[in-house]
Amino acid sequence: IFNKMLTMQGRLRVMARIRPLEMKEGGGGGQRCLSIAPGGDTIMLDFDHNGAHKFRFDKVFSHLPNAHSDTEHGIAEQVLPLALSAMDGYNVCIFAYGQTGSGKTHTMKALTSIICRKLFSSREGFKSKVSVSYTEIYNNEVRDLLRNPKDDHGRSEWGRVDKIDHNVPSLDVRTNSDGKVEVNSISVRITCAEEVEDLVRRGTEIRSTFSTDLNKHSSRSHALLTITCEVENEWAGLKYCGKLNLVDLAGSERLSRSNTEGDRLKETQFINTSLAALGNVMSALAKDQAYIPYRDSKLTMLLSDSLSGNSKVLMMTCIKEGTEEASETLCSLQFGARAKRV
Ligand code: ADP
Ligand code: MG
């Protein structure tokens, strides 16, 4: 895997994945508003009689004609070289962006297990140490998803509608003397892929999810799984430390869609602010600007060392193909396109 990344141009890539229409009883699954142009990397969104909106990505995964294979294997092929460069000492970020129900959690879960399996099978022959931390950012506060569940009162209520434990202390985010952002999250040493999957499964149970009109388990928090790899290559006498961040972002849907108020309104505003901050950082990076606004949100602060320098970034824009979702899909595609080019 050494230097495999040299063959991948650019360190910022934006891909898209289209969740297939739900098959309703009786077979019909609603109207579709998306198609893929020959070549496989341009999505055409056609819904408002203004002609098709076109968006070009690095790769588009879908069951639709012309797209790249949406199988686990098809996606793994495109994503693994980037993800595994964490073992060569790179810092890597993979985001899933999109409205609630577009397949972010589904996609990140699959990617996590594919990547971890490969990570542990390909590190044979190296001396390496892998550790994991798992946090969420909810209303711009960071909470540990690996904390001992027994410590947190009312944990069994989590995930249920309108219950959140405000007593769980949030983690300190601070900048150390080198200007590096640090957070005092729990870090667990890992020896196999199954251990990561198990931690993620348990951590996800306590993630802040709420019922909105859109989805019973609409995630209102960003979940950050950070896999740190320390690799020693005795043969070459080298040591590397790389970091892979797998980020399941909170749903990007706009306020009016979920018809929210009170606490839900506040959450949505925090989500919108942090996603906007992420978009601004990515577009500043894409333009090679001198000033990158990392400090505008906890999300971009926590990820600053994995978004800057020679880190590798992949935004997986998750979209739905139904016509009813077209205006949200347009927003998601615009976000992805802006992150890439502006
Ligand atoms: P999100 O995290 O963006 O809110 P989920 O990942 O929870 O969305 O997906 C919503 C539902 O759609 C889940 O039941 C999931 O299993 C299903 N789903 C998502 N993506 C796909 C896909 N590519 N193929 C089949 N089912 C999918
Ligand atoms: Mg989700």
Side-chain angles (χ1 to χ4, degrees):
I1 59 167
F2 281 93
N3 296 324
K4 201 175 246 179
M5 282 309 302
L6 291 178
T7 59
M8 299 187 71
Q9 293 151 11
R11 54 191 193 80
L12 198 66
R13 49 204 56 224
V14 182
M15 302 185 185
R17 188 182 194 195
I18 304 173
R19 203 202 101 171
L21 281 170
E22 263 160 295
M23 281 303 157
K24 299 201 177 110
E25 277 173 52
Q31 283 282 106
R32 176 181 290 146
C33 60
L34 299 176
S35 57
I36 318 289
D41 50 14
T42 300
I43 295 183
M44 293 182 293
L45 169 66
D46 201 350
F47 70 108
D48 58 5
H49 308 289
N50 286 334
H53 303 260
K54 289 185 191 172
F55 296 92
R56 185 156 177 192
F57 292 90
D58 290 301
K59 288 278 177 301
V60 179
F61 302 103
S62 166
H63 65 290
L64 292 171
N66 297 324
H68 284 265
S69 163
D70 190 45
T71 59
E72 206 177 88
H73 180 76
I75 296 179
E77 205 176 5
Q78 300 300 331
V79 172
L80 276 176
L82 179 117
L84 294 178
S85 69
M87 287 185 67
D88 294 340
Y90 284 96
N91 286 351
V92 182
C93 270
I94 301 180
F95 296 96
Y97 179 96
Q99 72 177 113
T100 294
S102 58
K104 297 182 297 297
T105 303
H106 182 85
T107 299
M108 292 317 290
K109 201 174 159 213
L111 284 180
T112 302
S113 65
I114 295 169
I115 291 167
C116 288
R117 271 183 270 136
K118 194 72 184 175
L119 189 84
F120 284 101
S121 67
S122 62
R123 76 203 245 281
E124 275 154 30
F126 299 100
K127 255 195 189 166
S128 62
K129 229 175 19 182
V130 180
S131 53
V132 161
S133 69
Y134 193 31
T135 55
E136 70 172 338
I137 304 174
Y138 174 74
N139 286 1
N140 214 31
E141 295 199 2
V142 186
R143 290 202 167 81
D144 208 317
L145 292 175
L146 297 184
R147 65 184 182 266
N148 187 346
K150 285 186 193 125
D151 294 344
D152 92 52
H153 328 271
R155 173 187 171 263
S156 58
E157 306 283 7
W158 280 59
R160 264 176 48 179
V161 182
D162 283 343
K163 285 277 183 190
I164 186 162
D165 188 349
H166 289 289
N167 298 319
V168 176
S170 58
L171 300 177
D172 275 343
V173 179
R174 51 180 106 179
T175 311
N176 71 15
S177 50
D178 301 338
K180 267 202 162 180
V181 176
E182 287 180 337
V183 60
N184 55 334
S185 55
I186 296 167
S187 176
V188 180
R189 178 85 184 268
I190 294 295
T191 56
C192 65
E194 289 71 27
E195 283 175 9
V196 184
E197 286 168 14
D198 192 48
L199 285 177
V200 169
R201 189 182 46 72
R202 284 191 284 152
T204 305
E205 273 175 33
I206 55 174
R207 189 174 163 195
S208 305
T209 55
F210 285 98
S211 171
T212 65
D213 292 350
L214 287 169
N215 184 320
K216 266 215 286 267
H217 290 285
S218 145
S219 293
R220 311 304 288 160
S221 71
H222 309 300
L224 272 70
L225 179 70
T226 306
I227 303 175
T228 307
C229 309
E230 287 171 64
V231 181
E232 200 176 334
N233 184 329
E234 290 179 311
W235 175 76
L238 293 168
K239 255 187 195 174
Y240 314 95
C241 184
K243 223 179 349 178
L244 170 62
N245 296 282
L246 299 167
V247 188
D248 185 2
L249 292 168
S252 62
E253 56 274 6
R254 290 157 302 166
L255 205 50
S256 55
R257 268 304 299 278
S258 38
N259 187 26
T260 53
E261 54 186 27
D263 282 353
R264 297 299 88 77
L265 171 73
K266 194 173 133 198
E267 282 170 6
T268 308
Q269 286 165 341
F270 274 113
I271 292 168
N272 292 348
T273 310
S274 54
L275 291 177
L278 177 63
N280 292 339
V281 163
M282 290 196 58
S283 99
L285 289 168
K287 287 192 283 190
D288 261 328
Q289 285 179 357
Y291 175 74
I292 315 284
Y294 294 114
R295 303 200 71 85
D296 288 357
S297 75
K298 290 261 168 68
L299 177 68
T300 47
M301 263 180 89
L302 284 189
L303 294 170
S304 55
D305 69 340
S306 297
L307 290 168
S308 57
N310 65 348
S311 52
K312 316 275 177 192
V313 182
L314 166 62
M315 174 77 70
M316 186 67 86
T317 311
C318 296
I319 51 177
K320 300 172 89 173
E321 61 178 346
T323 302
E324 297 132 67
E325 318 285 345
S327 68
E328 281 301 333
T329 300
L330 179 61
C331 289
S332 296
L333 291 170
Q334 283 167 337
F335 185 91
R338 174 171 177 264
K340 182 75 182 167
R341 269 172 272 275
V342 182

